[in-house]
Amino acid sequence: MKLDTRITSITVLLVLAAIVIPFTADWHLPLLDGVVVTWIENGQALWLLFGALFTAWYIKPLSRPEGAKQFWLWAVVWWLVLLGRSTSWGRAYFPDEPRIIFRGISVILIAALALPVLFSKTLRHEIVRRLREEPFPLWLFAITAATFLISDAVEHHRLMAPVFLHNLHYADLIEELYELPFMLGLFLITLGFMQRERVGENATSRVGDVQFAK
């Protein structure tokens, strides 16, 4: 794996956000009986939907060659799975519908994510190739993973949760706030991969045009 160890400004901002978030509980912000947390959750759902739509629009998976096509379709499914998880597979917006509907949605989305890896040799080779050849943003990934783990720890009251949760009354708020840098970091990592692919594609196209002109 090729590691990109540059520390970018956005990485620094995400680190600062992760440091500041626990102290929001000390500011005694009004939660408005859960309305504030609901607003944040709705914003997250919109962001994850945007991630799926933007990825599909920007990289146009169906126009990619074999390997890249499967990889980027798989990436879009990842966004949809995260969206499903964020909304309890739709139950957050349709709480009165039968639970079997949401269970079915979860099974379909998770299967769409897992089965291609199991049965598509092309996808597996493409994942391995990218891990070996493409530069991976080490520090951006580190803060993205860290904020996800902190959010999970706060949600499930794991051992390190008290370090980040100063007031149990604000547990839901702190959990959701930590998911914001995670989702932003995930988008930026994906965007970086897509931009490099587009730049490489354009460079190859220009070289081909020059050779054709000769």
Side-chain angles (χ1 to χ4, degrees):
M1 179 181 292
K2 299 178 181 178
L3 296 179
D4 181 355
T5 58
R6 293 175 298 173
I7 299 177
T8 63
S9 58
I10 190 64
T11 303
V12 173
L13 288 175
L14 292 180
V15 170
L16 292 176
I19 293 172
V20 169
I21 286 173
F23 297 100
T24 57
D26 302 329
W27 301 342
H28 303 293
L29 300 172
L31 297 177
L32 304 178
D33 293 325
V35 173
V36 172
V37 171
T38 300
W39 287 346
I40 296 173
E41 290 174 337
N42 290 339
Q44 291 172 350
L46 288 173
W47 179 255
L48 293 170
L49 178 60
F50 167 76
L53 294 175
F54 181 84
T55 301
W57 168 80
Y58 186 87
I59 203 67
K60 296 178 177 58
L62 296 178
S63 67
R64 303 282 104 192
E66 288 298 308
K69 176 192 299 184
Q70 287 82 353
F71 178 83
W72 288 115
L73 287 172
W74 187 63
V76 172
V77 173
W78 259 110
W79 285 113
L80 295 177
V81 169
L82 291 173
L83 173 61
R85 178 187 176 277
S86 174
T87 61
S88 296
W89 313 106
R91 191 183 303 120
Y93 299 115
F94 304 99
D96 298 327
E97 298 299 325
R99 294 176 65 90
I100 191 171
I101 294 177
F102 309 116
R103 179 60 60 87
I105 293 172
S106 68
V107 169
I108 291 171
L109 286 177
I110 292 174
L113 186 66
L115 293 181
V117 178
L118 295 176
F119 295 106
S120 175
K121 185 176 181 180
T122 302
L123 175 60
R124 292 197 301 272
H125 284 178
E126 183 68 9
I127 293 172
V128 171
R129 183 191 69 78
R130 289 174 182 270
L131 288 173
R132 288 176 176 173
E133 298 178 5
E134 294 198 19
F136 195 76
L138 175 63
W139 299 115
L140 180 56
F141 175 78
I143 186 60
T144 301
T147 50
F148 171 78
L149 293 174
I150 294 170
S151 174
D152 182 73
V154 172
E155 178 183 7
H156 296 101
H157 306 287
R158 302 192 193 281
L159 184 62
M160 66 176 181
V163 176
F164 307 98
L165 182 59
H166 300 169
N167 186 331
L168 287 175
H169 183 61
Y170 287 88
D172 289 342
L173 177 64
I174 298 301
E175 174 202 341
E176 300 301 332
L177 288 178
Y178 266 113
E179 288 186 355
L180 296 179
F182 159 68
M183 292 180 184
L184 178 58
L186 190 62
F187 176 79
L188 292 173
I189 291 171
T190 306
L191 180 61
F193 286 135
M194 291 192 294
Q195 287 177 330
R196 281 192 294 273
E197 186 158 324
R198 290 280 296 269
V199 168
E201 183 181 69
N202 292 337
T204 301
S205 178
R206 286 195 296 271
V207 170
D209 290 343
V210 170
Q211 291 177 341
F212 179 79
K214 290 180 179 179

